[in-house]
């Protein structure tokens, strides 16, 4: 193994941990964590810069540094297509999906399905599928990738390192909620981009720039004779394992029969799977929903889209450079050689990025890159912990405990984080034994078999008012059964080693998973359409606030009335600031921050106690007790004086960790009109800002198409 970390490197890593924990605990003290809105959506007070950085860091986890660079080393530019595709799909999120989510007032994506279609079946199906994907793709792969980097750089015990990282991430998430996650993501974005850019510049200088990469990559072939002699292998080399770069390695989109990225499969199959991730996955959407208003939400997707250009240059190309510099290790000549180099018989491309870092980065900068990798791992883990706890709490637990208080929901969310930590640690032995040739493609294949039906349901739900719950359920179930069947067959008929004969059935060997994903998407959509047309249409209430057409029909808020949005008339006994003074004289931003944490809480999460538990209402008001800190509980709870008892030390410590504060309650009547005004205010875009955002949309989309064309020619 190459050079190891030195004292200066360890000092940089330690400084990073101090900074991250300091920011996390600062956010814990400053944030309103005792309300559902405060903990899960950061009080909806985040600006576009912070959210854009958080989107980028939440997506670019350690599996990207290991997986993208590894696929770049193994197959060239092709894997960068996912990044440029994401650049475009992020704008679909900002311009189409987020306005609908804000309009119907949801916390989670299963909640949207429930509001759009009604019933519990789709909500439970999507919540369970999301949690399963989090555990078996995101968590497992992230931990494997982080462990691989630590092994390459420090040689630490894998179990100890992983448990330490998970524990620190869980502490950060439990104490600070989404505010801590987003603010630490901002620091991590700076570290990640700065460290990765420095590695890119140093490595490009060593190989002669981008032209040198194009020329030398195609010549990056291992010296078979020297390898056999130096390792004293007894096996005869048969040239059955691919050691030569693929002829089309320098093209992004490739022929219809390519084994990596066939362009018809990518456009028709991979894109729907990516729509699920970028437009309907809790980790991504939850961050954008924390925006102050729709203008900040769109600005965040534009910023994140621009940042998505970077991974091709700071991850994929360094992976290719790593193969140029270390071909005898990354392009191993057989399973025995691969086991000796990296401990995996499937291949050693996954060590491309850490091997490059440890061999070309100077002392100190190696520590910075170690901090970057830890930042990526912790960012992805805290995103998963926070979003998974949101889904479990609001979509599964709240269905069992329909009248759970806000305090109970927040505490259960934190306890579920602890449960996720336990599952993650228990999964470590499986991760270490995982043989992951190209880890990033493994993630995409898993998602390609399970997520296209979900993308079909969301697209039909947002764009087609006629789609009903029956059609959506049977369309989703059809796609889920077919995709799960193909996934199980993939585990039964495993790909043999490169020196073995492939005896798998032809439809598994020759039909690319992207074509399977395309079939799942269109079959699910077709079944949903046919069944919906054969059954009664959904009620007007189901589609009024949950489709793009509902946005067009929404009454526009006159500009002259915008300044009155947060003025509370004398007829209303509710005051967002907790006293009887009007807020008209306050600055608009201050008024918004004070009002959103309390007045819109009913809108964001209506209580099932006041509605049919099977079909949650989208507009029904909810009796709440409004606290000045934004906390809310159900009206009707009798105050029998139990709150006045003296708490023990353990209970006080528990409440402090959970951020719970008890305040004197002030009853709040139903305020549907006021909530409607808040939604209209959040969806309002001043003409000049709207023009600027639309111009930015054109620029970002042009850049995306240009990147596809430039790297495909």
């Amino acid at each position: 193994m190459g050079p190891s970390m030195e004292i200066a490197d360890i000092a940089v890593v330690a400084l990073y941990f101090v900074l991250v924990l300091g920011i996390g605990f600062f956010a814990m003290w400053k944030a309103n964590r005792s309300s559902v809105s405060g903990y899960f959506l950061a009080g909806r007070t985040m600006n576009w810069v912070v959210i854009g950085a958080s989107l980028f860091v939440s997506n670019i986890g350690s599996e990207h540094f290991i997986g993208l660079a590894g696929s770049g080393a193994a197959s060239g530019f092709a894997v960068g297509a996912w990044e440029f595709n994401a650049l475009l799909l992020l704008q679909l999120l900002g311009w189409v999906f987020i306005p609908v989510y804000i309009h119907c007032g949801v916390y989670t994506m299963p909640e949207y399905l429930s509001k759009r279609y009604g019933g519990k079946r789709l909500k439970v199906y999507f919540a369970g599928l999301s949690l399963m994907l989090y555990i078996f793709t995101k968590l497992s792969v992230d931990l494997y990738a982080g462990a691989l980097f630590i092994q390459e750089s420090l040689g630490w015990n894998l179990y100890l390192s992983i448990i330490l990282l998970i524990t620190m991430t869980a502490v950060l998430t439990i104490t600070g909620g989404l505010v801590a996650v987003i603010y630490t993501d901002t620091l991590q974005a700076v570290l990640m981009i700065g460290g990765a850019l420095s590695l890119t510049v140093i490595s490009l200088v060593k190989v002669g720039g981008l032209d040198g990469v194009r020329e030398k990559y195609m010549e990056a072939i291992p010296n078979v004779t020297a390898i056999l002699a130096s390792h004293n292998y007894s096996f005869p080399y048969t040239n059955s394992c691919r050691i030569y770069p693929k002829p089309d390695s320098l093209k992004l989109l490739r022929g219809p029969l390519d084994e990596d990225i066939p362009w018809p499969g990518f456009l028709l199959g991979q894109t729907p799977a990516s729509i699920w991730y970028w437009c309907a996955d809790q980790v991504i959407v939850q961050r954008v929903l924390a925006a102050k208003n729709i203008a900040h939400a769109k600005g965040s997707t534009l910023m994140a889209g621009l940042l998505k250009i970077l991974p091709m240059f700071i991850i994929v190309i360094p992976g290719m450079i790593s193969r140029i510099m270390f071909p005898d290790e990354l392009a191993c000549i057989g399973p025995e050689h691969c086991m000796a180099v990296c401990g995996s018989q499937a291949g050693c491309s996954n060590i491309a990025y850490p091997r490059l870092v440890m061999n070309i980065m100077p002392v100190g900068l190696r520590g910075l890159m170690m901090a970057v990798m830890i930042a990526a791992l912790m960012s992805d883990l805290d995103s998963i912990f926070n979003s998974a706890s949101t889904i479990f709490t609001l979509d599964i637990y709240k269905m069992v405990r329909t009248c759970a208080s806000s305090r109970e929901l927040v505490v259960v969310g934190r306890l579920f984080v602890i449960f996720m930590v336990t599952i993650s640690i228990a999964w470590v032995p499986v991760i270490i034994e995982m043989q992951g040739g190209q880890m990033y493609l493994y993630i995409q294949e898993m998602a390609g078999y399970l997520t296209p039906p979900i993308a079909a349901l969301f697209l039909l739900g947002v764009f087609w008012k006629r789609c009903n719950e029956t059609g959506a359920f049977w369309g989703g179930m059809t796609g889920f059964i077919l995709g799960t069947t193909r996934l199980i067959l993939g585990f039964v008929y495993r790909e043999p080693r490169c020196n073995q004969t492939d005896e798998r059935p032809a439809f598994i060997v020759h039909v690319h998973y992207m074509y399977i994903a395309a079939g799942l998407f269109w079959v699910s959509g077709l079944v949903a359409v046919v069944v919906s047309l054969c059954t009664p249409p959904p009620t007007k209430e189901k589609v009024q606030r949950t489709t793009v057409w509902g946005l067009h029909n929404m009454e526009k808020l006159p500009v002259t009335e915008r300044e009155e949005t947060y003025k509370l008339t004398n007829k209303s006994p509710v005051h967002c600031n907790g006293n009887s003074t009007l807020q008209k004289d306050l600055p608009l931003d201050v008024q918004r921050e004070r009002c959103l944490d309390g007045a819109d809480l009913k809108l964001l999460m209506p209580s099932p106690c006041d509605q049919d538990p099977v079909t949650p209402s989208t507009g029904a008001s909810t009796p709440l007790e409004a606290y000045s800190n934004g906390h809310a509980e159900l009206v009707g709870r009798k105050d029998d004086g139990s709150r006045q008892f003296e708490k023990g030390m353990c209970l006080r410590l528990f409440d402090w960790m959970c951020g719970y504060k008890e305040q004197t309650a002030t009853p709040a009547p139903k305020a549907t009109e006021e909530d409607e005004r808040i939604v209209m205010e959040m969806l309002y875009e001043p003409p000049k800002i709207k023009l600027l955002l639309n111009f930015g949309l054109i620029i970002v989309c042009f850049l995306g198409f240009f990147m596809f064309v430039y790297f495909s020619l």
Side-chain angles (χ1 to χ4, degrees), residues 9-21 187:
D9 300 316
I10 302 297
V12 172
V13 176
L15 178 62
Y16 158 77
F17 273 111
V18 171
L19 285 175
V20 168
L21 290 178
L187 169 66

Side-chain angles (χ1 to χ4, degrees), residues 3 191 242 317 353 412 463 484 488 503 569 593 610 666 673:
L191 278 175
R242 180 187 292 121
I317 290 177
Y353 200 85
V412 168
F463 288 104
T484 304
I488 293 173
E503 299 179 348
T569 64
E593 290 182 10
D610 243 17
T666 303
E673 293 181 3

Side-chain angles (χ1 to χ4, degrees), residues 568-570 572-583:
L568 301 177
T569 64
N570 293 329
S572 174
V574 184
H575 303 280
C576 295
N577 60 358
N579 56 45
S580 57
T581 60
L582 298 181
Q583 296 191 39

Side-chain angles (χ1 to χ4, degrees), residues 330-611:
L330 299 186
C332 43
I333 64 175
E336 293 86 350
H337 182 213
C338 293
M339 280 295 295
V341 173
C342 63
S344 172
Q345 295 184 14
C348 290
S349 61
N350 285 333
I351 67 171
Y353 200 85
R355 188 60 56 95
L356 187 67
V357 169
M358 298 308 299
N359 281 273
I360 74 169
M361 293 288 274
V363 176
L365 284 182
R366 280 204 302 257
L368 174 63
M369 289 310 301
M370 182 66 183
V372 167
M373 290 303 301
I374 296 176
L377 175 63
M378 290 184 63
S379 174
D380 226 20
L381 289 178
D382 65 26
S383 300
I384 294 167
F385 288 152
N386 190 279
S387 298
S389 67
T390 305
I391 288 179
F392 176 80
T393 304
L394 301 183
D395 294 319
I396 296 178
Y397 183 81
K398 197 167 183 8
M399 191 168 58
V400 178
R401 288 270 300 165
T402 55
C403 293
S405 67
S406 178
R407 169 180 177 167
E408 183 178 346
L409 292 177
V410 174
V411 170
V412 168
R414 288 166 168 85
L415 293 177
F416 186 75
V417 170
I418 298 174
F419 173 76
M420 292 282 288
V421 169
T422 305
I423 294 295
S424 302
I425 295 175
W427 195 250
V428 168
V430 180
I431 301 164
I432 295 176
E433 294 299 322
M434 186 174 64
Q435 306 295 329
Q438 291 191 51
M439 185 177 61
Y440 190 75
L441 296 186
Y442 157 79
I443 302 171
Q444 302 303 328
E445 184 173 3
M446 288 282 292
Y449 293 141
L450 297 175
T451 60
I454 293 294
L457 299 190
F458 272 87
L459 288 172
L460 288 173
V462 168
F463 288 104
W464 192 42
K465 294 190 290 186
R466 183 62 177 79
C467 190
N468 59 22
E469 194 272 346
T470 306
F473 176 76
W474 289 111
M477 283 298 100
T478 301
F480 176 74
I481 292 172
L482 293 175
T484 304
T485 302
R486 177 60 182 85
L487 182 62
I488 293 173
L489 289 175
F491 283 116
V492 173
Y493 297 102
R494 294 191 177 185
E495 182 178 359
R497 304 300 176 205
C498 60
N499 60 352
Q500 298 174 348
T501 304
D502 194 344
E503 299 179 348
R504 295 176 296 166
F507 75 93
I508 291 181
V509 176
H510 300 298
V511 180
H512 199 279
Y513 77 87
M514 290 185 185
Y515 290 117
I516 301 293
L520 293 172
F521 175 76
W522 295 105
V523 167
S524 299
L526 181 61
V527 171
V529 168
V530 171
V531 175
S532 293
L533 292 176
C534 295
T535 51
T539 61
K540 182 179 179 180
E541 290 73 19
K542 288 287 187 295
V543 299
Q544 187 175 14
R545 303 174 67 94
T546 57
T547 65
V548 293
W549 315 114
L551 288 170
H552 294 299
N553 297 332
M554 184 179 67
E555 180 185 358
K556 300 299 181 182
L557 181 66
V559 177
T560 57
E561 294 183 12
R562 290 185 64 246
E563 62 185 20
E564 303 295 324
T565 298
Y566 297 98
K567 175 183 177 182
L568 301 177
T569 64
N570 293 329
K571 297 179 182 179
S572 174
V574 184
H575 303 280
C576 295
N577 60 358
N579 56 45
S580 57
T581 60
L582 298 181
Q583 296 191 39
K584 183 176 179 180
D585 294 333
L586 293 175
L588 184 60
D589 290 340
V590 177
Q591 296 174 32
R592 276 189 52 76
E593 290 182 10
R594 294 194 178 185
C595 288
L596 276 181
D597 233 6
D600 72 336
L601 188 54
K602 186 279 302 177
L603 171 73
L604 292 175
M605 194 182 72
S607 169
C609 299
D610 243 17
Q611 54 189 295

Side-chain angles (χ1 to χ4, degrees), residues 3 63 78-79 111 115 156 178 192 202 208 282 289 305 352 367 457 486 494 505 520 522 526 595 680 682 707:
E63 88 283 357
V79 74
E111 184 184 3
K115 286 192 172 187
W156 289 359
L178 188 60
M192 185 182 298
I202 294 173
Q282 186 68 22
L289 285 178
L457 299 190
R486 177 60 182 85
R494 294 191 177 185
L520 293 172
W522 295 105
L526 181 61
C595 288
M680 294 167 71
M682 290 189 69
M707 288 295 173

Side-chain angles (χ1 to χ4, degrees), residues 26-63:
F26 176 77
M28 179 186 70
W29 282 107
K30 300 294 289 184
N32 169 32
R33 301 175 297 121
S34 59
S35 71
V36 177
S37 174
Y39 181 72
F40 290 124
L41 292 185
R44 281 188 164 168
T45 59
M46 297 292 105
N47 62 52
W48 63 274
V49 176
V50 175
I51 296 175
S54 182
L55 280 173
F56 179 71
V57 179
S58 297
N59 170 243
I60 302 295
S62 56
E63 88 283 357

Side-chain angles (χ1 to χ4, degrees), residues 101-417:
Y101 295 153
I102 293 176
H103 190 206
C104 63
V106 294
Y107 276 122
T108 69
M109 297 304 94
E111 184 184 3
Y112 170 77
L113 289 179
S114 179
K115 286 192 172 187
R116 170 60 180 87
Y117 295 112
K120 296 182 179 180
R121 300 186 296 183
L122 286 172
K123 185 176 181 179
V124 174
Y125 157 60
F126 183 68
L129 179 63
S130 297
L131 294 177
M132 184 175 71
L133 286 169
Y134 286 154
I135 293 174
F136 294 107
T137 60
K138 295 184 179 182
L139 276 179
S140 61
V141 172
D142 275 347
L143 292 175
Y144 172 73
L148 196 61
F149 193 93
I150 292 173
Q151 184 181 42
E152 281 288 312
S153 57
L154 295 175
W156 289 359
N157 178 275
L158 296 181
Y159 291 95
L160 179 62
S161 303
I162 290 174
I163 291 173
L164 176 64
L165 290 174
I166 291 177
T167 302
M168 294 189 65
T169 305
V171 168
L172 181 69
T173 305
I174 288 174
T175 54
L178 188 60
V179 173
V181 170
I182 289 181
Y183 278 120
T184 53
D185 280 354
T186 306
L187 169 66
Q188 290 164 355
V190 174
L191 278 175
M192 185 182 298
I193 295 173
L197 278 175
S198 63
L199 176 66
T200 301
V201 171
I202 294 173
S203 59
L204 280 174
V205 169
K206 287 186 175 292
V207 298
L210 194 57
D211 291 335
V213 173
R214 293 178 180 271
E215 177 184 350
K216 296 178 181 178
Y217 179 82
M218 302 306 295
E219 302 171 354
I221 304 168
N223 188 332
V224 177
T225 304
I227 292 173
L228 292 174
S230 62
H231 289 78
N232 196 26
Y233 288 125
S234 59
F235 69 90
Y237 177 67
T238 61
N239 199 28
S240 59
C241 297
R242 180 187 292 121
I243 61 173
Y244 297 91
K246 299 174 183 178
D248 51 4
S249 293
L250 302 181
K251 290 185 178 181
L252 199 68
L253 296 180
R254 302 172 182 177
L257 300 179
D258 184 77
E259 63 180 7
D260 289 327
I261 301 187
W263 70 265
F266 185 83
L267 296 179
L268 299 177
Q270 183 57 51
T271 299
S274 297
I275 287 176
W276 160 77
Y277 180 79
W278 290 108
C279 301
D281 180 56
Q282 186 68 22
V283 171
I284 300 300
V285 175
Q286 187 176 358
R287 271 143 189 76
V288 188
L289 285 178
K292 293 180 179 180
N293 52 46
I294 189 61
H296 281 274
K298 290 181 177 180
S300 70
T301 60
L302 288 175
M303 178 182 174
L306 290 174
L307 291 176
K308 288 298 285 181
I309 297 175
L310 292 177
M312 171 64 90
F313 299 96
I314 65 176
I315 302 179
V316 178
I317 290 177
M320 299 170 67
I321 294 174
S322 186
R323 174 171 178 145
I324 294 172
M325 299 182 68
F326 314 108
D328 291 352
E329 298 170 352
L330 299 186
C332 43
I333 64 175
E336 293 86 350
H337 182 213
C338 293
M339 280 295 295
V341 173
C342 63
S344 172
Q345 295 184 14
C348 290
S349 61
N350 285 333
I351 67 171
Y353 200 85
R355 188 60 56 95
L356 187 67
V357 169
M358 298 308 299
N359 281 273
I360 74 169
M361 293 288 274
V363 176
L365 284 182
R366 280 204 302 257
L368 174 63
M369 289 310 301
M370 182 66 183
V372 167
M373 290 303 301
I374 296 176
L377 175 63
M378 290 184 63
S379 174
D380 226 20
L381 289 178
D382 65 26
S383 300
I384 294 167
F385 288 152
N386 190 279
S387 298
S389 67
T390 305
I391 288 179
F392 176 80
T393 304
L394 301 183
D395 294 319
I396 296 178
Y397 183 81
K398 197 167 183 8
M399 191 168 58
V400 178
R401 288 270 300 165
T402 55
C403 293
S405 67
S406 178
R407 169 180 177 167
E408 183 178 346
L409 292 177
V410 174
V411 170
V412 168
R414 288 166 168 85
L415 293 177
F416 186 75
V417 170

